[in-house]
Amino acid sequence: MARLPYSRVVDVTLTRQDRFAVATGFSVSLIVQTDEVAGILDATHRTKLYSTLLEVAADFADSDDAYKAAAAMFAQNPRPRQIKIGYRNPANSITSELNAIYAADPDFYWMGFTAEIRDTIDQQLAADWAEGKPVLMGLELNDVSTETPAAEPDKTATVTITIATPGVVSWAAHTLQDGDQVILTTTGALPSGLTAGTSYYVVNALPGTFQLSATPGGSAINTTGSQSGVHTATSPQYGGSIAEYIKSKGYDRSHVFYHTDATLYPALALTAFCSTRDLDRGNLQAAQRGDINSGNAYTAKFKKLAGITPLNKSSAVAQAITGFVPGLGLNPAQGHFANTYVDIGGLPMVVEGSVGSGAFIDEIHASDWIVARMQEALLSTLANNPRVPYTNPGVGILTNTVDGVMRRAVAAGVVASDFGEDATEIVPEYTISVDRVENIPASQRRNRIAPDIKVDFRYAGAIHYASASITLRF
């Protein structure tokens, strides 16, 4: 018997809504190193993913810096699910090599380096690079000047400059190295090719002389024409160590870890811990019940780092390193905003978990996560609907999308919540507001630019210092 199709009387269709923005990953760390592994890590294979230290051992000897750095990360508890190791050619500028790595594989958030750039100008250049990228960089620091709060003054001297191809700067007993910045001033006129007040970079440094380049590691500048007056060269030291550099720049995307043991990788060990804090794995119902562990919100302070020995220094040194004053918080006049590892009450722990600007690692991480998830959610909403109409209900669809992301932030534990007035319900401290469509200028509506959705929330943060006042009565 013939069976007629359903479409004679009903019409049911299914459209899969599967056009979702790719989620930004926040759990992958990258170790940048200089050992080439032909066909595996080289100029055409910039990164490789590793899930265990045994996999790293297949490509690197245990004496290699890449292996030691990876071991510091995989030793942590909880252990990162995976890391990446990247290759840079040390013959090229670190900026160009980081650009090449990022162009080949931008799928990482946390990053650090093997020992060769420790306490060199390359750390400054790496921090400059990171500040323009959605990454968080950990830098190792062994410069002993970090143990005193005073900043190292700039280096300056009277110099002479030759008219030559290239020009040579003579500075008696200078201690500059290739990559250091130099700014020239004069009472008269500099040779052609050089401009007073411009930042140049040292190249071909020798005892008593060096040449200048317009870019780090670039070609030495030729000087021509004539000159007059007394020339002065100043090399900005930005206070001394890399910690003072990123503090002076107010950088959010680099954190520095000071230790006296140059064989350790405390910055990478801390990075490994932070990378395990998956803010997407939160429980909204638990958060609404007031559970402070509903998600993976965290602070880097107080954390134990496996394989890292506490710094054997006084409280004054710890304060100079971190800038943390008990009871007051971070103070730029008191220290360098670096992190270190100390023993307090028999418990080894990280202090203070901050970045160069004085913000905290968890704060930058949470901010980046919210921005990324908001972008992804709004793009997916626009892509998965035939249209979102320019009406108040249409704007409401976008507003609900934003609200969904903020509810995830509540679940993650990054949005401050407290009990409401009746003390029975947890109330998240965020608000969402948007103007009505009729209040938007016609020119904006004509160009289909939605009204701005404003979100205001209080970051939950973390307590870093506690006190108690005790009164003994008789």
Side-chain angles (χ1 to χ4, degrees):
M1 177 182 294
R3 178 174 293 181
L4 300 182
Y6 284 113
S7 58
R8 296 285 299 176
V9 291
V10 296
D11 184 14
V12 178
T13 61
L14 183 147
T15 301
R16 289 189 304 140
Q17 293 190 349
D18 56 2
R19 299 186 65 215
F20 298 102
V22 176
T24 301
F26 287 90
S27 62
V28 178
S29 301
L30 173 72
I31 301 171
V32 179
Q33 56 86 50
T34 57
D35 287 336
E36 183 177 10
V37 184
I40 295 174
L41 275 171
D42 51 31
T44 56
H45 306 83
R46 286 292 184 167
T47 66
K48 182 177 177 181
L49 185 70
Y50 298 88
S51 295
T52 67
L53 191 58
L54 287 175
E55 292 181 348
V56 177
D59 294 334
F60 296 94
D62 58 9
S63 58
D64 290 337
D65 284 339
Y67 181 92
K68 295 174 182 177
M73 300 190 76
F74 280 125
Q76 303 312 308
N77 184 20
R79 183 176 65 84
R81 290 192 293 269
Q82 55 188 16
I83 66 171
K84 290 181 177 179
I85 296 180
Y87 167 74
R88 74 174 180 92
N89 185 345
N92 300 327
S93 74
I94 193 168
T95 302
S96 65
E97 288 295 289
L98 290 175
N99 284 333
I101 291 171
Y102 194 75
D105 180 8
D107 189 17
F108 60 90
Y109 179 71
W110 309 92
M111 65 180 300
F113 295 84
T114 44
E116 75 283 342
I117 77 162
R118 197 173 298 198
D119 299 327
T120 71
I121 191 67
D122 278 344
Q123 285 188 317
Q124 294 184 12
L125 300 175
D128 293 341
W129 179 88
E131 200 62 19
K133 301 291 187 297
V135 299
L136 255 177
M137 175 183 291
L139 297 169
E140 315 287 355
L141 169 63
N142 301 127
D143 189 334
V144 71
S145 68
T146 316
E147 295 187 11
T148 55
E152 184 178 333
D154 293 343
K155 298 175 182 178
T156 188
T158 298
V159 299
T160 60
I161 306 172
T162 63
I163 306 293
T165 303
V168 175
V169 180
S170 294
W171 176 338
H174 76 79
T175 56
L176 304 184
Q177 57 183 313
D178 287 357
D180 283 346
Q181 292 187 42
V182 169
I183 298 172
L184 300 171
T185 57
T186 184
T187 60
L190 292 171
S192 297
L194 298 172
T195 303
T198 298
S199 288
Y200 296 105
Y201 297 87
V202 172
V203 291
N204 304 321
L206 295 171
T209 66
F210 54 86
Q211 295 161 1
L212 296 175
S213 172
T215 59
S219 300
I221 295 172
N222 299 330
T223 53
T224 59
S226 60
Q227 58 182 315
S228 63
V230 177
H231 308 325
T232 301
T234 300
S235 178
Q237 298 303 293
Y238 299 102
S241 70
I242 183 59
E244 270 298 318
Y245 180 79
I246 66 171
K247 187 178 82 166
S248 70
K249 295 287 189 177
Y251 281 171
D252 280 333
R253 302 206 164 272
S254 298
H255 63 90
V256 177
F257 211 116
Y258 174 76
H259 205 288
T260 54
D261 190 339
T263 67
L264 299 180
Y265 284 96
L268 283 177
L270 179 59
T271 291
F273 164 78
C274 295
S275 71
T276 66
R277 309 306 294 179
D278 187 351
L279 298 180
D280 288 301
R281 298 181 64 187
N283 187 309
L284 182 59
Q285 290 184 336
Q288 291 172 332
R289 292 195 302 268
D291 183 355
I292 63 171
N293 293 313
S294 64
N296 275 304
Y298 67 99
T299 175
K301 187 174 181 177
F302 309 119
K303 298 303 173 286
K304 180 180 179 180
L305 301 178
I308 307 300
T309 55
L311 194 69
N312 187 22
K313 296 290 181 177
S314 67
S315 293
V317 171
Q319 182 164 305
I321 295 166
T322 63
F324 181 81
V325 181
L328 297 177
L330 293 177
N331 183 333
Q334 297 299 316
H336 302 281
F337 287 1
N339 304 294
T340 192
Y341 198 58
V342 297
D343 185 315
I344 298 179
L347 297 177
M349 64 181 65
V350 174
V351 289
E352 290 295 319
S354 63
V355 298
S357 66
F360 293 96
I361 295 171
D362 59 276
E363 179 184 344
I364 304 302
H365 180 189
S367 299
D368 287 344
W369 176 78
I370 288 177
V371 169
R373 296 297 177 259
M374 196 76 74
Q375 291 173 332
E376 294 154 6
L378 287 169
L379 177 58
S380 297
T381 295
L382 293 170
N384 278 297
N385 287 282
R387 67 166 181 148
V388 176
Y390 209 128
T391 61
N392 288 314
V395 172
I397 293 173
L398 299 181
T399 304
N400 288 338
T401 299
V402 170
D403 184 64
V405 174
M406 294 309 300
R407 288 164 67 86
R408 293 175 66 187
V410 171
V414 301
V415 174
S417 300
D418 214 334
F419 285 101
E421 293 183 1
D422 60 0
T424 61
E425 181 183 4
I426 291 290
V427 179
E429 294 192 7
Y430 76 86
T431 59
I432 301 174
S433 59
V434 61
D435 210 344
R436 292 184 62 81
V437 166
E438 54 267 31
N439 297 330
I440 304 302
S443 59
Q444 182 174 333
R445 297 199 304 268
R446 171 65 180 79
N447 285 293
R448 303 189 175 191
I449 308 300
D452 188 32
I453 303 171
K454 298 185 182 299
V455 180
D456 183 277
F457 75 98
R458 186 167 71 86
Y459 181 55
I463 293 172
H464 279 191
Y465 184 86
S467 63
S469 299
I470 301 174
T471 301
L472 175 64
R473 303 180 67 85
F474 293 94

